[in-house]
């Protein structure tokens, strides 16, 4: 993650920017061939940050129906944005997106999908089984069919508030398999009981990439399968960080945060920013690369979620 607006270096697979309304959709290609994504999550930092994925190889790129992709050195970055209104609503649009992802991935040499991000509008609207996140989970599971079963990628699913209401799915795939990591403090998401919806969320808590980096899934204040510390922002944040540390330990990686652990923090309420800043100043060394943005967590009672990377 960096704040510089430098031109893209050779070997740039993808550049992700947060904030701004995507006037021509979320995905595009730069003149170097990198995949460029502008994601409609409002940054809460003074300086706009972006995330860059590098490979040690030449990068080429293209488009296949709605999927934009860039590849190089055995890695593939790809993205898809659907207007859910044009695809029958969030469940049908998600099924369509994941069926397209699966069909596309089946034809790529980088066939292992290791990490997926999902951003959708109004994630908590609707009650019970028709809450939009649960419809999203149902659509994802239907679109994938038996794809990913037993090999779930690490993932994030966060609500945005963009009036364009796009469903944006982007992912990282590799020619080599990764190694899934589960968190001993949390029930694996695909085993969540029925109360969380008819289709359990299919994702792994973490994924060790072939190069050794750990992809950390969206991590919130959930222990077992229960949301903890409802209404208490500070305690939710501490629990989320404790979950990430448990995941690092489970992955045999150094527990704790530093310049090797870039994190993205999604806040439901901008008013929690001062409390977040104060708590992070106590918990994280100042060298930890951070992105903070507005984003709605998939359970209405959760106020904060964190995802990121840990490089060896
Ligand atoms: C959780 O742990 C919080 O549905 O892909 C985190 C990461 C969450 C990914 C997903 C959901 C997803 O259940 C929510």
């Amino acid at each position: 993650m960096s704040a510089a607006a430098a031109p893209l270096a050779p070997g740039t697979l993808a550049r992700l920017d947060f904030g701004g309304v995507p006037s021509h959709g979320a995905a595009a290609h730069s003149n170097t061939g990198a995949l460029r994504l502008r994601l409609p999550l409002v940054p809460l930092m003074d300086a706009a940050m972006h995330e860059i994925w590098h490979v040690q190889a030449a990068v080429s790129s293209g488009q296949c129906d709605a999927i934009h992709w860039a590849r190089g050195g055995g890695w593939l970055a790809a993205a898809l944005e659907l207007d859910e209104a044009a695809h029958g609503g969030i469940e049908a649009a998600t099924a369509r997106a994941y069926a397209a992802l699966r069909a596309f991935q089946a034809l790529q040499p980088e066939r292992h999908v290791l990490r997926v991000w999902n951003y959708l509008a109004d994630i908590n609207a609707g009650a019970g089984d028709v809450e939009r996140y649960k419809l999203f989970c149902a659509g994802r599971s239907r679109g994938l069919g038996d794809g990913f079963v037993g090999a779930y990628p690490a993932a994030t699913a966060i609500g945005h508030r963009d009036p364009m209401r796009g469903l944006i799915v982007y992912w990282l795939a590799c020619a080599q398999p990764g190694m899934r990591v589960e968190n001993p403090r949390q029930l694996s998401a695909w085993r969540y009981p029925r109360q969380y919806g008819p289709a359990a969320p299919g994702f792994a808590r973490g994924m060790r990439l072939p190069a050794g980096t750990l992809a950390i899934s969206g991590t919130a204040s959930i222990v077992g399968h229960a949301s903890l510390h409802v209404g208490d922002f500070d305690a939710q944040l501490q629990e989320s960080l404790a979950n990430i540390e448990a995941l690092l330990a489970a992955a045999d990686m150094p527990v704790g945060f530093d310049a090797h652990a870039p994190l993205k923090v999604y806040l439901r309420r901008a008013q929690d920013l001062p409390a977040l800043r104060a708590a992070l100043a106590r918990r994280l060394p100042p060298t930890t690369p951070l992105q903070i943005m507005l984003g709605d967590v998939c359970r209405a009672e959760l106020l904060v979620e964190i995802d990121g990377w840990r490089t060896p």
Side-chain angles (χ1 to χ4, degrees):
M1 286 181 195
S2 77
L8 297 183
T12 302
L13 187 68
R15 169 175 166 147
L16 318 176
D17 286 87
F18 294 86
V21 176
S23 51
H24 309 290
H29 299 280
S30 75
N31 52 12
T32 67
L35 179 70
R36 292 196 67 144
L37 291 177
R38 181 168 288 283
L39 299 154
L41 292 158
V42 178
L44 295 174
M45 316 267 297
D46 301 335
M49 300 285 282
H50 58 258
E51 184 173 335
I52 290 188
W53 300 349
H54 284 291
V55 295
Q56 311 281 323
V59 171
S60 61
S61 64
Q63 187 178 349
C64 176
D65 298 321
I67 297 176
H68 295 256
W69 56 266
R71 69 153 46 93
W75 297 91
L76 176 84
L80 161 78
E81 179 179 21
L82 291 183
D83 172 2
E84 61 174 86
H87 291 90
I90 188 61
E91 181 173 351
T94 306
R96 175 79 165 253
Y98 271 87
L101 179 158
R102 183 185 183 187
F104 172 78
Q105 281 299 140
L107 301 174
Q108 310 310 314
E110 304 85 355
R111 62 193 187 91
H112 304 279
V113 178
L114 302 182
R115 181 64 169 95
V116 184
W117 289 260
N118 306 276
Y119 297 129
L120 59 144
D122 288 342
I123 196 166
N124 304 121
D129 282 354
V130 296
E131 183 185 22
R132 281 168 52 85
Y133 171 65
K134 294 176 185 137
L135 297 176
F136 162 86
C137 285
R140 173 170 57 185
S141 140
R142 181 151 56 86
L144 282 172
D146 60 1
F148 284 2
V149 169
Y152 292 119
T156 294
I158 285 286
H160 67 68
R161 301 171 196 174
D162 186 51
M164 284 182 56
R165 299 179 66 79
L167 165 68
I168 300 161
V169 181
Y170 68 97
W171 64 94
L172 175 66
C174 187
Q176 309 299 326
M179 220 169 63
R180 286 182 299 146
V181 184
E182 289 300 304
N183 184 340
R185 301 179 87 231
Q186 299 186 297
L187 187 66
S188 292
W190 67 86
R191 299 208 164 105
Y192 280 172
R194 175 64 181 81
Q195 73 196 84
Y196 299 102
F203 68 95
R205 298 291 177 192
M207 179 68 73
R208 200 80 190 257
L209 307 185
T213 295
L214 178 70
I216 301 165
S217 285
T219 305
S221 179
I222 295 174
V223 174
H225 58 75
S227 302
L228 293 196
H229 318 297
V230 174
D232 183 341
F233 176 81
D234 278 305
Q236 286 197 18
L237 178 67
Q238 298 304 333
E239 204 69 67
S240 306
L241 292 171
N243 274 331
I244 293 179
E245 295 203 319
L247 186 73
L248 294 173
D252 286 325
M253 302 194 83
V255 172
F257 303 95
D258 56 27
H260 298 283
L263 301 176
K264 283 208 293 292
V265 184
Y266 305 93
L267 277 190
R268 181 181 295 281
R269 311 184 299 201
Q271 73 199 56
D272 290 325
L273 185 61
L276 175 73
R277 286 286 196 196
L280 292 183
R282 288 192 305 271
R283 274 297 293 266
L284 307 184
T287 50
T288 311
L290 272 183
Q291 286 249 57
I292 304 173
M293 57 200 116
L294 272 183
D296 297 323
V297 186
C298 63
R299 296 186 187 179
E301 69 276 15
L302 295 175
L303 300 172
V304 60
E305 184 168 303
I306 302 172
D307 73 26
W309 306 96
R310 169 88 211 187
T311 60

